[in-house]
Amino acid sequence: MDKNQIVTLEITDITSEGNGVGRSDGMAVFIPETAVGDIIEARIVKVLKNYAYGKVEKIVKPSEDRIISDCKYFPQCGGCSFRHINYKSELKIKEKFVYDAFTRIGGINAEFLPILGCDCPDKYRNKAQYPVGTDNNRPVCGFYAKRSHRIIAGNKCRLLPSIFSYIAEEIIEYAVKNRIKSYDENTGKGLLRHIFIRQGYHSKEIMICLVVTKASAVRFSELCKILSEKYHDIKSIVMNINPDNTNVILGKKTVALWGKNKIQDIMCGNNINIAPEAFYQVNTLQAEKLYAIASNFADFKGNETLLDFYCGAGTIGLSMASRVRKLIGVEIIPQAVENANENAYISNIHNAEFICSDAGKAAKKLVDSGIKPDVIILDPPRKGCDNVTLNAVLQMNPQKIVMISCNPATAARDCSFFVQNEYNVEKVQAVDLFPRTTHVECVVLLSKVQK
Ligand code: SAH
């Protein structure tokens, strides 16, 4: 097979990166923006030893899953991968991602429950982080193009509440008028890096966080007045200072410019304070359903000690606190732990304790102090749990482990470690928190093998 060769093939599968897979000359060819059942002519763009990449040259016969994309930025924008197929087939694909990860990577046999999809796959995100760049010498904000840091100017995203784009536009207009320079990744010069907006789904409270290269409150004082007078749901405007040449959006220091330095939302009936640094699930309605499934899996009797590892602002554990005797949460980001403690207090929960620590270190200490949890929740970041944490969890010998993960591959890997160490994977359920993207969440119930 050669570069630029045109091949005709049928798409038979979709990879977890969102590419369609077809076969030609016995080689797998990966082609973006295709659908299972498509017959296409593809141009080969890259040939590797055992597989190749192509792009659609002509759709000979379209799949029945296809729809016309309703977003003008698709597929250039890197945000969505599945705007060209209907949501039902997207869910089927994601259910298979999770099934394949567990059966192939983890070698795990379990009951696979049907995926839980969203009632509405639009406007579900409660958070946006618009990168700010320059176009024709003028500040612009938008979205990163696929696999790049090129900014596609425009802020009307179908996954976000409309008010976010009005606010982003207002900020850019202000930057233009006041000659505020956007940050340039290549030179490190300029002031405004990102516009970070978060809105409590239930409370409607809005936080705006302006990420800048150096403290410059005075330059934004008029903007705070304009925004707060115009949009009454804005409760907090903060400035985060990030002077470093890095892809990480937030820097270490945040100062309030107007109003509070956090917003409050309601999640699973609890009051939840969220600082800009704290992780907060982006799809609140669906996250509430995810936590309810995790709670059902745990099937509490009332006298349990529950450990919630990687607890963020405490949302999962707090949603279960009334069903257990004692809750201990562990989280590495200090502002999130501060939120978790406040959240217990403002939600009238008195059996919770939160530890600010690396999960592995805290797990070892908890083992040493003789804590015997009945149920452990693990909700790690994408890379999964480290070996220290996995081994400490084993030593604590819980009856049940509930794993929640946004990366089925690492979840399957970590679950297979427990399967090799006297746990059974009972149930696995995929939950779609991120419609139109390739991301999917899964919940897993593991139970100690009874001897
Ligand atoms: N359970 C929370 C957060 C899940 S996201 C919720 O549902 O909202 C994963 C969390 O793990 C993040 O808050 C992140 O800050 C935290 N984290 C990442 N690495 C960690 C580590 N080594 N030890 C403890 N927490 C960590």
Side-chain angles (χ1 to χ4, degrees):
M1 194 174 282
D2 298 309
K3 192 173 166 181
N4 280 326
Q5 188 181 334
I6 306 282
V7 294
T8 303
L9 39 77
E10 178 174 357
I11 300 298
T12 52
D13 204 358
I14 305 284
T15 67
S16 54
E17 289 83 40
N19 290 322
V21 192
R23 291 203 151 261
S24 179
D25 277 350
M27 280 246 275
V29 185
F30 300 113
I31 304 146
E33 295 110 43
T34 52
V36 171
D38 274 347
I39 296 175
I40 58 163
E41 280 177 11
R43 180 180 294 275
I44 301 299
V45 292
K46 193 173 181 183
V47 186
L48 291 118
K49 197 161 163 233
N50 299 317
Y51 56 93
Y53 288 96
K55 68 176 192 194
V56 178
E57 194 70 14
K58 184 175 159 197
I59 299 176
V60 180
K61 184 171 164 282
S63 155
E64 285 183 354
D65 298 344
R66 275 192 178 268
I67 53 169
I68 293 171
S69 160
D70 51 7
C71 174
K72 66 175 178 181
Y73 305 112
F74 180 82
Q76 289 75 27
C77 168
C80 292
S81 296
F82 295 134
R83 295 211 85 91
H84 62 300
I85 56 171
N86 62 55
Y87 186 48
K88 205 171 142 207
S89 37
E90 178 185 332
L91 287 175
K92 256 204 293 187
I93 291 168
K94 290 180 169 178
E95 191 173 71
K96 188 165 175 293
F97 285 172
V98 172
Y99 178 82
D100 285 351
F102 277 80
T103 53
R104 291 191 192 165
I105 302 172
I108 288 166
N109 241 327
E111 181 187 358
F112 288 89
L113 297 163
I115 187 167
L116 182 74
C118 284
D119 292 338
C120 175
D122 263 339
K123 298 192 188 295
Y124 61 84
R125 285 188 62 98
N126 60 26
K127 172 174 126 176
Q129 289 166 317
Y130 301 98
V132 180
T134 307
D135 191 19
N136 272 332
N137 272 328
R138 188 180 185 278
V140 288
C141 73
F143 306 100
Y144 286 131
K146 251 182 205 147
R147 288 179 292 278
S148 101
H149 265 210
R150 186 170 58 81
I151 295 172
I152 298 176
N155 49 41
K156 288 192 181 55
C157 168
R158 298 194 75 91
L159 306 185
L160 297 170
S162 314
I163 193 168
F164 284 20
S165 66
Y166 308 146
I167 292 173
E169 258 164 46
E170 195 88 43
I171 296 172
I172 290 297
E173 209 174 284
Y174 179 87
V176 172
K177 267 194 203 145
N178 292 277
R179 299 179 192 283
I180 290 172
K181 288 232 158 56
S182 359
Y183 175 66
D184 180 337
E185 274 185 341
N186 299 317
T187 63
K189 294 215 169 91
L191 181 64
L192 189 55
R193 298 177 71 128
H194 272 87
I195 300 169
F196 170 165
I197 309 174
R198 199 179 233 173
Q199 180 172 39
Y201 182 85
H202 294 293
S203 70
K204 301 290 169 240
E205 290 193 6
I206 295 174
M207 163 178 279
I208 299 168
C209 174
L210 302 168
V211 185
V212 293
T213 46
K214 57 175 186 281
S216 39
V218 186
R219 301 204 66 184
F220 294 105
S221 56
E222 186 61 23
L223 175 67
C224 292
K225 192 162 170 282
I226 297 170
L227 288 173
S228 57
E229 279 173 7
K230 198 156 178 182
Y231 302 103
H232 292 161
D233 285 332
I234 296 177
K235 303 292 173 203
S236 161
I237 306 178
V238 300
M239 183 174 67
N240 174 276
I241 299 128
N242 186 357
D244 299 335
N245 179 8
T246 164
N247 283 344
V248 179
I249 295 180
L250 292 185
K252 289 196 181 74
K253 196 168 167 208
T254 307
V255 290
L257 293 178
W258 181 90
K260 309 188 283 183
N261 61 359
K262 58 196 158 205
I263 50 168
Q264 195 172 102
D265 196 16
I266 299 161
M267 209 185 176
C268 302
N270 291 321
N271 296 319
I272 302 295
N273 279 345
I274 331 151
E277 296 86 356
F279 176 91
Y280 189 59
Q281 281 289 4
V282 295
N283 183 340
T284 312
L285 272 188
Q286 202 67 357
E288 289 178 304
K289 292 182 187 168
L290 173 78
Y291 297 174
I293 294 171
S295 181
N296 281 339
F297 278 12
D299 191 22
F300 299 110
K301 301 289 177 258
N303 56 356
E304 288 91 346
T305 298
L306 169 64
L307 278 190
D308 179 9
F309 276 107
Y310 311 94
C311 71
T315 46
I316 298 182
L318 291 174
S319 76
M320 303 170 182
S322 65
R323 266 159 269 157
V324 301
R325 188 178 58 80
K326 167 93 191 152
L327 161 67
I328 302 172
V330 175
E331 161 64 43
I332 202 163
I333 303 283
Q335 291 88 342
V337 177
E338 194 180 307
N339 288 158
N341 279 312
E342 293 164 358
N343 295 340
Y345 182 76
I346 59 178
S347 301
N348 263 319
I349 292 170
H350 304 292
N351 58 345
E353 180 191 328
F354 294 94
I355 303 168
C356 184
S357 165
D358 164 65
K361 285 187 188 141
K364 270 177 65 194
K365 273 198 192 140
L366 289 166
V367 170
D368 291 345
S369 64
I371 297 268
K372 293 255 172 285
D374 304 280
V375 181
I376 295 185
I377 295 199
L378 296 170
D379 182 15
R382 290 189 66 75
K383 66 175 193 267
C385 302
D386 61 24
N387 284 334
V388 178
T389 310
L390 291 174
N391 281 299
V393 167
L394 269 193
Q395 282 190 37
M396 283 188 271
N397 199 28
Q399 281 308 304
K400 289 175 193 161
I401 299 168
V402 180
M403 169 97 71
I404 300 177
S405 171
C406 58
N407 185 343
T410 56
R413 180 200 68 200
D414 292 347
C415 284
S416 83
F417 167 86
F418 289 119
V419 169
Q420 286 153 29
N421 289 284
E422 299 186 357
Y423 281 84
N424 283 329
V425 176
E426 306 279 344
K427 300 188 254 192
V428 181
Q429 183 162 18
V431 182
D432 189 24
L433 266 69
F434 317 105
R436 300 322 191 195
T437 77
T438 53
H439 297 285
V440 63
E441 200 85 17
C442 60
V443 202
V444 187
L445 172 65
L446 296 118
S447 65
K448 180 90 192 173
V449 173
Q450 301 298 331
K451 286 195 194 148

